[in-house]
Amino acid sequence: MSTDPVLRVALPVPLPRLFDYRVARADPALVGCRVQVPFGSRSLVGVVAEVGPPAVPDAELRPVEAVLDPVPLFHGELLASLRWLARYTHAPLGEVLATALPAALRRGEPLPEAVPWGWGLTEAGRTALPGLRAGRPRRLAERLAAGPVPEAVLAAEGEDWRAAARALARRGLAERVRCTADPVVSAASAPPVAAAPAPTPEQQAAIAAVRAAHGFAPLLLDGVTGSGKTEVYLQAIADCLARGRQALVLVPEIGLTPQTLARFRARLGVPVHVLHSGLNDGERARVWAAAWRGQARVVVGTRSAVFTPLPQAGLIVVDEEHDGSYKQQDGIRYHARDFALVRGKALEVPVLLGSATPSLESLHNAQAGRYAHLRLSRRAGGAQAPTVRVLDVRKRPLQAGLSPELLAAIEAALAEGGQVLVFRNRRGYAPVLLCHDCGWSAQCRRCSTPERGSALTVHGAGRRLQCHHCGARAPVPAACPACGGLALQPQGVGTERLEELLRARFAQVPVLRADRGSTRRRDALEALLARLGERPGILVGTQMLAKGHDLPHLTLVAVVGVDEGLFSADFRAGEKLAQLLVQVAGRAGRAQRPGTVVLQTHHPEHPLLRTLVHGGYHAFAEGELAQREAAGFPPFAHLALLRAEAKHAEPPLSFLSAARARFDGVAGVEVHGPLPAPMPRRAGLHRAQLLLAASARGALHAALDAALPTLHTLPEARRVRWSLDVDPVELT
Ligand code: ADP
Ligand code: ZN
Ligand code: ZN
């Protein structure tokens, strides 16, 4: 009987097991290397998870096609943490490892070289340099005067070097070269360091707390907007660099602005590497490789940057730790903040979680003494906190949802030379198209059921219809499809309609709109804000404007149309709304000008608004935590959501019923459902869910460990697409 060691490979397929392959020499050092293997009629890239005896002795095994890495890509802490993540999310290890890799490496491309491509001046370039006209090409030529600079470094120093390099190359002044010495780590390539402001006593205490951490320490930096949290990060990162260690900074997608990066670059004096969805595959792989080699000292990135290898880790920062974009909503449903904490523990480094509106989970952990709680209670640099006014609009005449009092406040702010932000979290022209004759309204055919319709949003000044759930588009019909009448009317107000009204009403100032429709491209928002400059003007927008860019001339923030959020069934809706309101309000009066926030509502007495306005975010959070505890919701309970979807309504329910039988009677776990999802149909698929809740995390995971492998073998599983979401953020 042959039990000779084989390669046990983790493959990116939805089966909770490893796959065995033969190889000439099954060396244990191959663990963590990528291999190309045959799988059915396909060829897949996998990662060697184990070297050992085959699962089935004497089985006919196919040989690997190729070992792709000379040394393991995954090893040490990262491999161990990812194994943990696979167990925790109950996902196949192969899918977790594939998620952790940049796409190019997932496809099997080699790790980008350590000797990188860069740019250098030609002889002609050196001669021509003194005579070059001012501008980007000249600035780049000056940057290259001391010697070739790797592309990764140019990219880390600023976004716009490529066009300049091409311009120089066309004239024969610069060329693409291999850089032998790697200036990524050499001080010579470092941009100049800007001076840090003297920290306030509260900042000082926070910096000292990070400094005092030996090994793993979770720290919650709970500071109002503009209190100088970023300054604390910068100082903590500088300390980390001084100790010769790498720092990883996670930011939400909309928080990663050129402004933020420029600030990091100006202050840290080392190249800052960036990982975000706007990079191409090659760029992502290069940054990942630079971190893997320990060359990238500071990596700033969005959610998936949490998988960055950190062989010399010293610090992990999670900015805006409450932000919903840290949770991956499909595939491997990890939470980047939570995984950052797991990695910090394994790496034995401090993890600094910052927010003006910490998640209830983190506040609860801080109150229980599990996290150090660092508070920054005042704005830094002498800026004042904004005044908040609740504007009762019951019985008031509204124009595009705006009351006369609010319009007067906007007028006054503009007259004083200020800028105004009008916040409405609904993009499009109007949320509904209604027939005034018969009551018909435009619904998405692919997202509606007979019981529950899903309205199409009106766009394009009332000419187009669009589904915000599945992306379906249609023109607005000329007549009502139900009664043939001509009384079709857009109902309600989206950002486009607000923009239209404000343009007509305040024709003397620029009115600019920022939402996903108008600023799809990364730098579009930047360009929009540059157009506004320092002049009086109005910004209309969705939560895209709730954070990120510094808007120093903003004196008035008007919040309209939040009432629908006050009555949502989702247990997290209150928390999300409170965070959004506080974040938006925090945009007012960031510099020396005092700011005002006007909150327009039909429910001025609503407890959420009252508590928030009179007591602030922490008073709200305290009340909300008490309610969660009473109701047995997170963070006092642990949830897992089993979702299933199919073309017809029945298969998801029967799969979940069969699944439910595997959990019934398990001690310590409550099972709710199966029920149609709150959004019972999306993009043509019927959706249902089964909710598992437990007061002890261990009980929940024990139940999942026992049941999950058997779900794959249920006959009902073949008729649906199903997935498990541990610690779901959205119950939709
Ligand atoms: P946050 O990240 O909490 O929103 P920032 O770090 O961006 O706050 O700081 C807000 C503003 O205050 C920035 O313009 C920053 O330069 C300034 N600032 C921060 N700390 C200080 C300080 N100690 N002294 C003076 N200005 C400061
Ligand atoms: Zn009609
Ligand atoms: Zn739809």
Side-chain angles (χ1 to χ4, degrees), residues 197-200 203 223-231 263 380-381 550 590:
T200 64
Q203 285 174 322
V224 298
T225 2
S227 60
K229 294 184 292 297
T230 309
E231 279 303 323
R263 189 167 165 199
D550 219 359
R590 282 203 78 174

Side-chain angles (χ1 to χ4, degrees), residues 444 446-447 467 469-470 472:
C444 178
R446 307 175 67 222
C447 297
C467 175
H469 301 291
C470 74

Side-chain angles (χ1 to χ4, degrees), residues 529-546:
L529 296 176
R531 251 169 56 210
L532 189 57
E534 304 187 356
R535 294 173 291 164
I538 303 177
L539 278 169
V540 182
T542 56
Q543 61 185 0
M544 186 171 238
L545 286 176

Side-chain angles (χ1 to χ4, degrees), residues 121 135-145 154 161 164-165 168:
L121 291 183
R136 287 223 182 95
R138 166 151 190 153
R139 279 205 297 283
L140 179 64
E142 284 169 352
R143 178 74 185 82
L144 304 179
L154 293 173
W161 62 275
L168 291 175

Side-chain angles (χ1 to χ4, degrees), residues 147-170:
V149 180
E151 293 183 342
V153 172
L154 293 173
E157 288 174 5
E159 311 285 310
D160 266 341
W161 62 275
R162 233 174 242 283
R166 274 197 299 267
L168 291 175
R170 269 197 303 275

Side-chain angles (χ1 to χ4, degrees), residues 570-591:
D570 181 355
F571 76 91
R572 275 189 224 275
E575 177 184 359
K576 278 192 256 174
L577 181 59
Q579 288 165 344
L580 193 57
L581 288 176
V582 173
Q583 297 280 352
V584 178
R587 307 313 306 264
R590 282 203 78 174

Side-chain angles (χ1 to χ4, degrees), residues 484-507:
L486 297 175
L488 292 176
Q489 294 177 357
Q491 294 287 306
V493 179
T495 46
E496 281 183 27
R497 195 171 196 170
L498 272 177
E499 179 192 20
E500 182 186 271
L501 171 93
L502 292 165
R503 281 231 162 111
R505 172 75 201 251
F506 300 103

